[in-house]
């Protein structure tokens, strides 16, 4: 049977507010264990939550960025379940009326764009952190658990997509785009490695051409976009295998094992969960008036999709435009390069190529390098004027990034200025012809591939500083 | 209408470990109370919105400002088990 | 001469101002009284002798240098043991919190500290405030100073008994379904539950969050008004706190009831009420009429269902509120092989039977498949009750009823029958569901010498008129005096 995957993604985004969602403890993950805790986030008897206004503004911002409707009046609920790193044994979350609902984003895979609907984005609080101590460090063989509540109560936005995603690649693209937007909003550092943005996938399959959804499996524990894609792919194949062999898919939660490249069923004593949601009596409803919503909307930055479209309009290829628009440091550098007069596509090439490679290699943020938009523009002008070869330009760029100075100084210091002065080039060509008369006769006799040999010799004589195009022109003129 | 109560499930949800005898006793007591409480079902409430809160107010917020946290030693002094600045509890799942 | 332990707050403050008493002397007086009565009454779980005397000395220094901080400065007060007191054991009368030392003060406690009040200690209650007799305490019952064979009511029975016995000049209780007013009635005191949101709940161990309010237990209406004014007011740490100014309690004391419209709630003033209580109720209504009040009889049919709604809403909220007592971060822990086992054993061992009963009840009422028929329906009934109250307050200024259906009953009389215990609160619960203020005033003694209370209810933020009517009732009623204390050697 041919199967069609049906995928929804749930994303948890930790907001990078100063203080926690319901108390004044600092949001700071580097602190010593259990030092950013107070009666509220430790669930001490008698403590009461008071919501962080900024968090409400930021979830509204997220909702607007994903084209959501903002509920005029929403409400917190208690989600009841016992877990030792959850201080109150209920999570303050939202249930039937979230702050944001019914949005969408457009996701492009292999040039094909699909609209993925966002069901909702709701406000909740994070749990503390458990360290399962044991021989293998894994939960199943742990001998004890250590608890740190510094993360308990950090504001968390849960963004739930509709089951509109149809492939692992699309799931990855959705997740990446979503991360990019959240990072652009400046409301979260959105780092997968640090768990400040976390993705779960709901995966089911159905026979191609049919409507009803299959049994959905929740897949957790993916900490990179690549593992998200692999996990979803694996799960699609696993379910197809089960069904092809006449089995049934269990509704369950499965854990992605990065090392083994498989999903494992998560053992759970609890049958089906029953969260006993009810309206949180300690909190009042949230009312986002049109006026407040408009104020928040006015603070929205240009979003990556709009920005990428603008770059394409400037002549940048689509892939580079997406990369530049999706990265805050690249975007800043690109904008300042344009402002300094660099041609868009040239700046785009360098920034997405050499500069990005350098940043990865050196594990250094572009914004922490010595490179400026002025430098990029200067470099582009030198290439345009033929005083730098494109190869030399890349070398110069490397030295500039390393902080050696501006491109003109660096090129001079490393003797990389290209000779495009025709007098000097002509005498170099003539010298090489004089030294290789036999080969020149063969070239003149029609053995055209020898032109490369002569260009190479001229480059040798000039120490690589000759403009190869100009050299070629002169050699051809000598054949006459 | 006799009220059905899966008392073992309810006790499990509430994380209270009870003996079979206790479960049976509580089941009987809950039955009596719920019979009385079920009178709420006798009132016509079509079109009546539920009240979860006696105050008709909205939007009580705090500013996003850090305030001092508690002293860790004072907090951990109340913990049944603590080590190296962490609370310590038994493992989450049975060891196989 | 009156023993200072029998002073009202107003009398004691006047004596301090006049230099006839010191705060230390007042504090010593109530501590001495406690040493005589506690073995029999058991009002307190913790008496903080050294803390109280230190606070009293500080108050005396302020007073003697002319820097007294207000009408409560230097006055010894009892706190119900479900209010967080930094550094002083706080248990809610539960084994699960035995020995617990909170790292913070609740807002009300902090406000009273700033107002100079001296905390004598922490008083007994029904575990987590669940009960109407103060028998459901892990640390033993409290007895009614008027008759040691009877209960003081509950759940704030410890504070009520302490004030009645003179081991504090006033006390604070918390009222979720009548837990201030019913013990006030049974102990011959004034007990008042403010409008929901007027007094901060921050630092009060939550029983049912949408119903709980802290309020005073005192000998007089004026004392209650003064204590209420000291604790009411907006608190940014409680999101459900009312942001505007709290209505005055004292401004219309002594203004009488002439021209006020007083409504009798038929559903709360007949069926199920003891004859002597009804007789005292009718006498008081007649006196109010004679004093110029217009008496109106009203029907609030939904209040008949209030008890049922309450016994779904309060347990549902408590099932979540008490989930945090799990043996992880504080309090009792019973070991287990897994964290789950540890939690389940801790909770089974740490909670008493009434608390377990209500947690199970609430868990059930919220669980999948039952939510709409039970919890959801109870919330809709709550709406009906609020609507009926609102309509009633279009016609009258205050509503009245008996407070408790009968005077104090004997210990053990109702412990085997949860429903009959729950019936204690039939008159008081509607005001918790509606969030409205209500208070109890003593209006007489039964033939067996037990106090009888009279309830005055007012619309939201109607404290001023409520205190006005209560003061008039106090004025019109015969003084019941103080209990004759049986001193039992400890
Ligand atoms: Mg969530
Ligand atoms: Zn905190």
């Amino acid at each position: 049977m041919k199967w069609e995957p049906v995928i929804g993604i749930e994303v948890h985004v930790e907001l990078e507010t100063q203080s926690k969602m319901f108390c004044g403890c600092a949001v700071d993950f580097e602190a010593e264990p259990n030092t950013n805790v107070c009666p509220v986030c430790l669930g001490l008897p008698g403590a009461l939550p008071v919501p962080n206004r900024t968090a409400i503004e930021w979830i509204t911002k997220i909702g607007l960025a994903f084209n959501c409707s903002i509920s005029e009046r929403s409400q917190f609920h208690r989600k009841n379940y016992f877990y030792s790193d959850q201080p109150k044994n209920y999570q303050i979350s939202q249930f039937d009326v979230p702050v944001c609902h019914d949005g969408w984003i457009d996701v492009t895979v292999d040039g094909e764009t699909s609209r993925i609907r966002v069901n909702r984005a709701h406000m909740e609080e994070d749990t503390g952190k458990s360290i399962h101590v044991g021989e293998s460090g894994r939960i199943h063989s742990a001998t004890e658990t250590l608890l740190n509540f510094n993360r308990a109560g950090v504001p968390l936005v849960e963004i739930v997509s509709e089951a509109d995603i149809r492939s692992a690649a699309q799931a990855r693209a959705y997740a990446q785009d979503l991360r990019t937007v959240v990072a652009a909003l400046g409301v979260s550092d959105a780092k997968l490695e640090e768990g400040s943005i976390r993705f779960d996938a709901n995966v089911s399959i159905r026979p191609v051409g049919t409507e009803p959804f299959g049994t959905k499996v929740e897949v957790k524990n993916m900490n990179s976009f690549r593992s998200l894609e692999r996990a979803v792919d694996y799960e699609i194949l696993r379910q197809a295998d089960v069904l092809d062999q006449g089995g049934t898919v269990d509704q369950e939660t499965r854990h992605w094992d990065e090392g083994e490249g498989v999903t494992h069923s998560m053992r759970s004593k609890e049958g089906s969960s029953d969260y006993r949601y009810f309206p949180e009596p300690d909190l009042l409803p949230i009312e986002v008036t049109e006026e407040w919503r408009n104020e928040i909307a006015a603070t929205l930055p240009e979003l990556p999709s709009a920005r990428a479209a603008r770059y394409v309009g400037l002549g940048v290829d689509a892939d580079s435009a997406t990369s530049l628009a999706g990265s805050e440091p690249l975007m800043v550098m690109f904008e300042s390069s344009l402002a300094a007069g660099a041609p868009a596509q040239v700046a785009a090439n360098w920034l997405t190529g050499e500069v990005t490679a350098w940043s990865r290699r050196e594990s250094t943020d572009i914004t922490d390098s010595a490179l400026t938009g002025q430098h990029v523009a200067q470099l582009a002008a030198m290439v345009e004027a033929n005083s730098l070869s494109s190869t030399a330009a890349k070398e110069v760029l490397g030295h500039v990034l390393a902080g050696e100075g501006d491109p003109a100084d660096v090129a001079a210091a490393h003797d990389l200025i290209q000779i495009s002065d025709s007098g000097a080039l002509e005498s170099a060509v003539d010298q090489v012809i004089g030294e290789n008369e036999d080969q020149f006769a063969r070239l003149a006799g029609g053995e055209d591939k020898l032109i490369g040999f002569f260009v190479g010799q001229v480059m040798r004589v000039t120490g690589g500083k000759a403009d190869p195009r100009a050299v070629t022109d002169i050699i051809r003129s000598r054949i006459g | 209408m006799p009220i059905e109560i899966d008392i073992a499930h309810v006790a499990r949800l509430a994380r209270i470990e009870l003996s079979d005898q206790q479960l049976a006793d509580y089941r009987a007591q809950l039955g009596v109370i719920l019979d009385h409480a079920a009178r709420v079902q006798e009132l016509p409430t079509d079109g009546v919105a539920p009240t979860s809160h006696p105050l008709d107010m909205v939007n009580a917020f705090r500013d996003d400002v850090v305030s001092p946290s508690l002293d860790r030693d004072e907090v951990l002094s109340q913990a049944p088990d603590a080590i190296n600045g962490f609370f310590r509890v038994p493992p989450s799942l049975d060891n196989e | 001469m009156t023993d200072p332990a029998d002073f009202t707050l107003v009398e004691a403050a006047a004596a301090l101002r006049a230099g006839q008493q010191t705060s230390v002397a007042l504090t010593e007086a109530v501590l001495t009284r406690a040493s005589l009565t506690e073995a029999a009454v058991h009002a307190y779980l913790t008496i903080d002798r050294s803390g109280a005397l230190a606070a009293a000395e500080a108050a005396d220094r302020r007073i003697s240098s002319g820097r007294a901080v207000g009408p409560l400065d230097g006055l010894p007060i009892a706190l119900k043991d479900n209010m967080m007191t930094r550094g002083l054991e706080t248990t809610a009368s539960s084994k699960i919190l035995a020995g617990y030392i909170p790292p913070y003060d609740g807002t009300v406690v902090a406000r009273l500290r700033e107002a100079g009040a001296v905390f004598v200690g922490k008083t007994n209650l029904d575990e987590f405030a669940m009960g109407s007799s103060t028998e459901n305490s892990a640390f033993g019952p409290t007895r009614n100073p008027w008759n040691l064979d009877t209960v003081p009511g509950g759940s704030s029975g410890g504070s009520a008994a302490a004030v009645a016995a003179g081991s504090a000049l006033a006390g604070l209780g918390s009222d979720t379904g009548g837990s201030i007013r019913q013990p006030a009635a049974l102990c011959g005191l004034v007990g008042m539950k403010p409008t929901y949101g007027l007094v901060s709940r921050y630092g009060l161990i939550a029983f049912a969050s949408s119903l709980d309010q802290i309020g005073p237990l005192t000998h007089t209406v004026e004392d209650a008004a003064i204590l209420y004014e000291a604790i009411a007011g907006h608190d940014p740490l409680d999101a459900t706190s009312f942001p505007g100014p709290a209505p005055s309690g004292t401004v219309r004391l002594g203004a009488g009831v002439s021209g006020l419209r007083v409504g009798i709630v038929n559903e709360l003033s007949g069926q199920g009420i003891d004859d002597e209580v009804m007789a005292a109720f009718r006498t008081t209504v007649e006196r109010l009429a004679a004093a110029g009040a217009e008496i109106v009889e009203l029907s609030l049919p939904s209040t008949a269902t209030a008890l049922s709604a309450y016994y779904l809403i309060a347990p549902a909220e408590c099932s979540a509120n008490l989930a945090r007592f799990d043996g992880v971060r504080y309090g009792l822990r019973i070991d287990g092989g897994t964290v789950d086992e540890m939690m389940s054993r801790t909770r089974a061992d740490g909670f008493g039977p009434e608390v377990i009963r209500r947690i199970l009840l609430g868990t059930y009422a919220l669980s999948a498949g039952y939510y709409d028929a039970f919890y959801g329906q109870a919330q809709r009934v709550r709406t009906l009750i609020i609507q009926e109250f609102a309509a009633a307050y279009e016609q009258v200024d205050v509503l009245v009823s008996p407070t408790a259906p009968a005077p104090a009953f004997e210990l053990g009389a109702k412990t085997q029958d949860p429903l009959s215990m729950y019936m204690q609160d039939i008159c008081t619960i509607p005001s918790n569901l509606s969030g409205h203020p209500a208070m109890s005033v003593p209006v007489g003694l039964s033939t067996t010498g037990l106090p009888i209370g009279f309830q005055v209810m007012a619309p939201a933020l109607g404290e001023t008129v409520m205190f006005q009517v209560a003061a008039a009732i106090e004025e019109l009623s015969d003084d019941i005096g103080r209990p004759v204390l049986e001193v039992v050697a400890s």
Side-chain angles (χ1 to χ4, degrees):
Chain A
M1 177 122 29
K2 263 191 85 61
W3 300 100
E4 177 183 49
V6 175
I7 303 156
I9 305 275
E10 282 174 27
V11 189
H12 285 89
V13 180
E14 268 180 353
L15 299 185
E16 213 183 358
T17 43
Q18 297 294 307
S19 62
K20 293 185 181 180
M21 184 63 219
F22 297 113
C23 65
C25 290
V27 173
D28 171 11
F29 302 113
E30 262 128 64
E32 286 288 297
N34 294 309
T35 51
N36 291 332
V37 295
C38 74
V40 177
C41 59
L42 259 188
L44 296 191
L48 295 174
V50 183
N52 185 329
R53 184 187 290 102
T54 300
I56 301 300
E57 289 176 347
W58 286 5
I59 189 180
T60 305
K61 231 163 139 167
I62 289 174
L64 292 171
F66 292 117
N67 308 294
C68 287
S69 303
I70 306 301
S71 304
E72 253 172 72
R73 187 183 261 238
S74 68
Q75 191 166 25
F76 286 108
H77 272 64
R78 291 185 185 177
K79 180 182 185 180
N80 296 285
Y81 64 98
F82 282 81
Y83 202 86
S84 55
D85 61 18
Q86 175 163 259
K88 302 180 295 296
N89 287 316
Y90 59 81
Q91 180 191 36
I92 302 178
S93 182
Q94 296 193 289
F95 182 54
D96 49 356
V97 196
V99 176
C100 317
H101 61 93
D102 297 308
W104 50 265
I105 57 170
D106 284 337
V107 167
T108 303
V109 175
D110 296 334
E112 197 178 313
T113 300
S114 320
R115 179 153 294 187
I116 309 298
R117 288 171 301 159
V118 171
N119 173 288
R120 60 192 275 145
H122 71 247
M123 194 75 242
E124 56 185 33
E125 55 177 339
D126 213 341
T127 61
K129 234 173 180 160
S130 294
I131 303 172
H132 301 289
V133 181
E135 280 140 58
S136 70
R138 285 174 48 185
I139 187 167
H140 283 89
S141 57
T143 53
E144 60 184 37
T145 300
L146 302 180
L147 298 168
N148 173 4
F149 291 98
N150 284 347
R151 201 182 67 179
V154 168
L156 209 54
V157 172
E158 181 174 333
I159 306 166
V160 183
S161 83
E162 295 288 359
D164 286 350
I165 296 166
R166 294 289 173 269
S167 72
Q170 209 177 39
R172 176 181 183 152
Y174 171 82
Q176 277 174 325
D177 284 3
L178 189 141
R179 198 209 77 94
T180 303
V181 171
V182 168
L185 292 175
V187 297
S188 170
D189 66 7
K191 287 186 178 150
L192 274 75
E193 324 81 68
E194 283 163 31
S196 47
I197 187 164
R198 312 193 276 268
F199 298 92
D200 301 329
N202 289 311
V203 182
S204 66
I205 59 173
R206 63 184 172 193
V208 169
T210 62
E211 275 299 314
F213 288 167
T215 306
K216 96 181 166 190
V217 169
E218 190 175 5
V219 187
K220 287 179 175 294
N221 194 43
M222 290 81 75
N223 44 27
S224 69
F225 292 119
R226 194 176 110 83
S227 59
L228 171 68
E229 187 172 358
R230 285 177 70 203
V232 170
D233 253 337
Y234 174 86
E235 190 53 30
I236 293 166
L237 292 175
R238 187 191 70 82
Q239 291 182 19
D241 230 42
V242 169
L243 295 177
D244 283 340
Q245 287 173 26
T248 51
V249 172
D250 293 329
Q251 178 158 358
E252 61 176 347
T253 298
R254 296 179 70 89
H255 213 71
W256 170 246
D257 185 318
E258 182 71 36
E260 293 180 41
V262 298
T263 62
H264 288 296
S265 183
M266 279 170 88
R267 222 154 49 98
S268 164
K269 276 188 186 174
E270 197 87 45
S272 62
S273 48
D274 181 350
Y275 292 125
R276 289 158 286 135
Y277 279 100
F278 74 101
E280 165 58 284
D282 286 334
L283 294 171
L284 304 178
I286 303 161
E287 199 174 276
V288 180
T289 58
E290 199 180 328
E291 190 190 353
W292 194 17
R293 195 190 59 209
N294 289 341
E295 270 172 38
I296 296 165
T299 67
L300 280 179
E302 182 186 29
L303 292 173
S305 54
R307 193 183 290 151
R310 184 163 60 82
Y311 292 167
V312 169
L314 295 175
V316 178
D317 68 282
D319 281 354
S320 300
T322 305
S323 305
L324 292 169
S327 152
E328 186 75 11
L330 278 180
M331 182 274 286
V332 168
M333 190 63 73
F334 183 64
E335 294 283 348
S336 73
S337 304
L338 295 182
Q345 181 66 56
V346 173
N349 286 347
W350 282 333
L351 292 176
T352 58
E354 283 304 292
V355 175
T356 299
W358 175 88
S359 159
R360 283 208 192 105
R361 200 168 54 238
E362 303 288 321
S363 303
T364 304
D365 221 72
I366 296 159
T367 42
D368 294 333
S369 76
L371 187 70
T372 66
Q374 286 286 349
H375 293 156
V376 176
Q378 208 179 17
L379 207 53
M382 289 169 76
V383 173
E384 181 67 23
N386 282 330
S387 61
L388 269 185
S389 70
S390 51
T391 318
K394 285 177 184 171
E395 195 180 336
V396 170
L397 193 53
H399 293 296
V400 173
L401 282 162
E404 292 180 20
D406 72 24
D409 292 346
V410 167
H414 289 269
D415 207 12
L416 292 168
I417 301 292
Q418 184 162 268
I419 303 167
S420 46
D421 167 52
S422 54
L425 286 183
E426 281 179 31
S427 59
V429 169
D430 291 341
Q431 179 195 334
V432 169
I433 291 173
E435 288 168 3
N436 300 284
E437 283 178 355
D438 290 356
Q439 282 90 336
F440 187 71
R442 280 161 58 198
L443 175 66
E447 206 172 323
D448 206 47
K449 65 180 182 199
L450 279 167
I451 191 107
F453 165 78
F454 278 96
V455 172
Q457 288 301 308
V458 174
M459 294 307 278
R460 182 182 57 80
V461 168
T462 59
K465 287 182 285 178
D467 177 351
R469 266 176 304 150
V471 171
T472 308
D473 289 347
I474 294 167
I475 294 169
R476 290 212 184 283
S477 73
R478 292 293 185 274
I479 299 168
Chain B
M1 164 191 95
I3 287 162
E4 50 173 284
I5 308 169
D6 181 350
I7 192 73
H9 175 65
V10 172
R12 167 73 198 137
L13 282 174
R15 292 296 186 281
I16 300 177
E17 187 180 290
L18 297 172
S19 68
D20 289 347
Q21 183 59 55
Q22 286 173 314
L23 286 173
D25 292 347
Y26 280 117
R27 200 220 158 285
Q29 291 165 359
L30 257 58
V32 173
I33 299 166
L34 285 167
D35 267 337
H36 189 277
R39 290 183 197 172
V40 294
Q41 292 156 10
E42 292 162 13
L43 282 188
T45 52
D46 287 347
V48 176
T51 295
S52 54
H53 217 280
L55 295 177
D56 188 22
M57 306 192 315
V58 296
N59 289 3
F61 297 123
R62 38 175 285 276
D63 292 337
D64 183 24
V65 173
V66 174
S67 55
S69 295
L70 289 171
D71 175 68
R72 185 169 72 182
D73 292 339
E74 194 174 358
V75 167
L76 293 180
S77 73
Q78 298 302 307
D81 191 10
I83 184 167
N84 297 334
F86 292 94
F87 295 89
R88 178 159 60 179
V89 293
S92 293
L93 296 165
D94 282 315
N95 290 312
E96 277 145 312
Chain C
M1 199 191 122
T2 314
D3 183 329
D6 291 322
F7 280 168
T8 64
L9 292 177
V10 170
E11 288 165 354
L16 285 179
R17 267 197 310 277
Q20 296 157 347
Q21 285 287 339
T22 64
S23 175
V24 168
L26 285 173
T27 304
E28 295 276 19
V30 298
L31 287 169
T32 303
R33 178 66 60 80
S35 70
L36 296 171
T37 57
E38 270 303 284
V41 174
H42 190 229
Y44 286 96
L45 296 177
T46 305
I47 291 185
D48 185 20
R49 166 172 275 278
S50 61
L53 287 172
E57 282 165 18
D60 283 333
R61 285 194 294 273
R62 285 191 298 273
I63 294 163
S64 63
S65 61
R67 292 182 290 112
V69 290
L72 294 176
D73 204 353
L75 303 187
I77 285 172
L79 298 174
K80 188 177 183 178
D81 198 34
N82 58 353
M83 301 176 196
M84 290 296 128
T85 45
R86 183 169 187 181
L88 188 62
E89 183 174 349
T90 302
T91 67
S93 288
S94 182
K95 183 179 172 187
I96 211 161
L97 272 181
Y100 178 66
I101 311 289
Y104 77 106
D105 273 340
T107 296
V108 163
V109 169
R111 284 196 183 166
L112 286 183
R113 268 197 218 282
E114 276 167 40
V118 171
F119 301 137
V120 184
K122 308 295 290 291
T123 59
N124 202 9
L125 60 149
D126 288 296
E127 185 179 357
F128 287 106
M130 297 176 194
S132 308
S133 68
T134 318
E135 291 168 287
N136 301 328
S137 165
F139 310 111
T142 297
R143 288 167 188 266
N144 191 325
W146 288 85
N147 179 340
L148 294 176
D149 295 330
T150 67
V151 301
S155 64
S156 309
S159 282
V163 178
S167 54
L169 300 192
L172 285 186
S174 64
D175 191 316
T176 305
S179 279
I180 292 173
R181 291 162 285 160
Q182 184 257 9
L186 270 50
C187 289
L189 301 173
V190 175
M192 181 254 179
K193 180 197 89 75
T195 301
Y196 183 84
L198 277 185
V199 177
S200 171
R201 294 182 295 114
Y202 189 77
L204 171 70
I205 299 181
F207 161 18
S209 312
S210 75
L211 305 168
D212 299 339
Q213 273 293 282
I214 293 174
L217 281 148
T218 58
H219 287 294
T220 68
V221 172
E222 186 177 9
D223 278 5
I226 289 168
L227 194 45
Y228 149 76
E229 287 181 355
I231 59 175
H234 181 245
D235 177 14
L237 297 178
D238 177 355
T240 63
S241 164
F242 180 69
S248 168
T250 51
V251 70
R252 289 189 61 77
L253 297 177
V257 289
S258 182
L260 290 181
R261 293 161 305 167
V262 173
I264 297 171
V265 184
N266 284 331
E267 286 78 4
L268 306 180
S269 310
Q271 214 192 350
I273 312 287
D274 168 273
D275 289 346
E276 280 196 275
V277 172
M278 270 317 292
F281 175 72
R282 286 202 193 92
T283 302
T284 305
V285 169
E286 282 160 20
R287 287 172 176 169
L288 284 170
E294 182 193 336
I295 309 297
V296 182
E297 287 202 27
L298 288 166
S299 181
L300 274 67
S302 301
T303 57
T305 318
L307 187 70
S308 295
Y310 176 85
Y311 274 96
L312 293 168
I313 292 168
E317 292 183 11
C318 100
S319 72
N321 283 330
L322 270 58
R324 67 189 60 194
F325 301 100
D326 60 3
V328 173
R329 285 146 293 123
Y330 45 80
L332 180 75
R333 175 184 294 188
I334 304 293
D335 278 326
T338 64
V339 69
D340 221 67
E341 227 168 66
M342 181 278 281
M343 286 182 181
S344 302
R345 288 177 185 170
T346 299
R347 292 165 59 77
D349 194 64
F351 291 137
E354 180 63 25
V355 172
I356 291 180
R357 194 149 46 230
R358 295 204 199 185
I359 291 174
L360 295 176
L361 191 55
T363 303
Y364 173 86
L366 289 174
S367 63
Y370 302 102
Y371 182 97
D372 259 325
F374 287 100
Y375 185 74
Q377 180 66 6
Q379 299 281 53
R380 287 186 284 274
V381 168
R382 189 172 187 180
T383 306
L384 293 178
I385 291 170
I386 292 171
Q387 288 169 352
E388 281 182 11
F389 267 108
Y393 286 122
E394 306 253 303
Q395 301 175 55
V396 296
D397 297 294
V398 295
L399 293 167
V400 295
S401 76
T403 307
F409 50 91
E410 291 194 359
L411 267 80
K414 297 182 193 294
T415 42
Q416 294 314 306
D417 182 1
L419 261 187
S420 83
M421 186 73 90
Y422 297 172
M423 293 294 178
Q424 278 295 306
D425 297 327
I426 49 171
C427 297
T428 47
I429 276 173
S431 303
N432 296 89
L433 291 174
S434 67
H436 295 156
M439 66 191 291
S440 181
V441 190
V443 290
L445 293 175
S446 71
T447 49
T448 54
L450 290 169
I452 294 170
F454 183 97
Q455 180 173 232
V456 184
M457 297 168 270
L461 306 177
E463 272 78 1
T464 305
V465 68
M466 182 175 77
F467 276 111
Q468 179 185 348
V469 172
I473 292 167
E474 182 179 55
E475 182 70 30
L476 295 166
S477 303
D478 306 323
D479 187 0
I480 63 166
R482 298 294 172 94
V484 178
L485 298 172
E486 294 177 48
V487 175
V488 180
S490 51

